[in-house]
Amino acid sequence: MATAAQLGSAVSSHLKIASFQGLRAATNGSVLQSGSMHAFFPASNSRRCLPIKAATSVAPKFTTLKPLGDRVLVKIQTVEEKSAGGILLPTTAQTKPQGGVVVAVGEGKTVGDKKIDLSLKTGSQIVYSKYAGTEVEFKGEGHLLLKEEDVVGLLSGDDIKELQPLNDRVLIQVSETESKTAGGVLLTESAKEKPVIGTVIAAGPGALGEDGERKPLEVTPGNTVLYSKYAGNEFKNKDGVQYVVLRASDVLAILS
């Protein structure tokens, strides 16, 4: 039988090798801020809290961080932790999209024999895929190094329906699910089917082909579409409306 010391050592070793890159918050209510989070596990009759470092910390002697290729450096924005009425929100209720401001960009990439500059510029406010990139603590603040293809779109405010998708991504307003069965039985939230139908609000310019030219998307704003059930990044807007941003390849059909 393992001793308490051996058990503690095993838990400690497990926590050291676990990777939490890209996470914004723990599902049990702990908030991941500036590259660190707290992991909770029961120890006899109490709960212990262990800080886990998730970001790479850059020494103060380095004053410049220049991304290479098609990568960008993003300063992570702070997640809103209170409601408009000042009520502290649990992690699961925080609805502000994951995003930040581009503070440095790479020199672009080469497709075939064509040099492609990045469409992102310094100062651009962006939304990025939830688990994308590498977290870096630079000059005492949380940053993220990620590829341009991991950027969902441009968003200058906090209204997700104003998002401008990049590349082959599409912004869809999710259709509301039925709240009752055919027999009139009221459904609980957990019993409702995950929606897979919505209306295209905005579409990106298309992905780059092997020739370096953009390929126009088959879907356009206003289309009602059927999409893959677990694709993309989901967002809940400040007005409570649900949206999803996904790649055009995850759109299965146009409904009419």
Side-chain angles (χ1 to χ4, degrees):
M1 181 178 296
T3 65
Q6 290 174 325
L7 178 61
S9 176
V11 171
S12 177
S13 299
H14 173 71
L15 291 174
K16 286 179 181 177
I17 64 173
S19 174
F20 295 98
Q21 277 190 0
L23 289 175
R24 288 292 169 276
T27 56
N28 60 359
S30 304
V31 180
L32 175 62
Q33 298 181 5
S34 301
S36 63
M37 67 172 289
H38 290 86
F40 293 94
F41 63 95
S44 63
N45 296 324
S46 63
R47 292 171 69 86
R48 301 178 66 182
C49 175
L50 293 180
I52 301 175
K53 197 70 175 177
T56 299
S57 184
V58 178
K61 66 179 180 180
F62 298 107
T63 58
T64 302
L65 199 162
K66 173 65 175 175
L68 299 179
D70 60 345
R71 288 181 173 82
V72 296
L73 178 65
V74 178
K75 182 179 178 182
I76 302 172
Q77 72 179 14
T78 303
V79 175
E80 188 63 52
E81 296 179 2
K82 291 186 178 181
S83 67
I87 299 174
L88 188 65
L89 296 174
T91 299
T92 53
Q94 292 171 6
T95 58
K96 199 172 179 105
Q98 58 273 8
V101 179
V102 176
V103 295
V105 299
E107 296 182 355
K109 62 182 178 179
T110 301
V111 179
D113 58 355
K114 189 173 183 179
K115 177 68 180 298
I116 307 295
D117 292 329
L118 298 185
S119 58
L120 295 173
K121 308 299 180 185
T122 301
S124 297
Q125 296 185 47
I126 65 167
V127 176
Y128 48 82
S129 297
K130 191 171 185 179
Y131 300 110
T134 300
E135 289 193 34
V136 179
E137 187 175 325
F138 182 56
K139 295 183 178 180
E141 296 182 297
H143 291 75
L144 196 67
L145 267 172
L146 69 164
K147 291 189 173 183
E148 187 181 44
E149 66 180 20
D150 291 322
V151 176
V152 170
L154 302 174
L155 183 63
S156 57
D158 59 0
D159 191 342
I160 192 64
K161 69 175 178 286
E162 300 298 330
L163 177 81
Q164 300 174 39
L166 295 183
N167 300 313
D168 61 340
R169 284 188 168 83
V170 181
L171 172 66
I172 296 173
Q173 181 176 328
V174 178
S175 298
E176 293 186 11
T177 55
E178 292 293 332
S179 59
K180 292 184 179 181
T181 66
V185 178
L186 190 65
L187 295 172
T188 62
E189 288 297 323
S190 59
K192 292 179 181 178
E193 282 290 325
K194 185 178 177 68
V196 292
I197 295 176
T199 303
V200 176
I201 302 300
L208 288 170
E210 294 181 358
D211 57 357
E213 300 295 329
R214 295 208 177 264
K215 308 301 181 183
L217 302 182
E218 295 183 72
V219 296
T220 57
N223 287 154
T224 299
V225 297
L226 177 71
Y227 56 89
S228 297
K229 195 169 188 177
Y230 298 105
N233 294 268
E234 298 177 338
F235 301 106
K236 185 176 183 181
N237 205 23
K238 59 184 180 181
D239 57 5
V241 178
Q242 297 280 352
Y243 293 85
V244 61
V245 183
L246 41 74
R247 294 186 183 277
S249 58
D250 290 317
V251 176
L252 307 178
I254 298 175
L255 304 175
S256 61

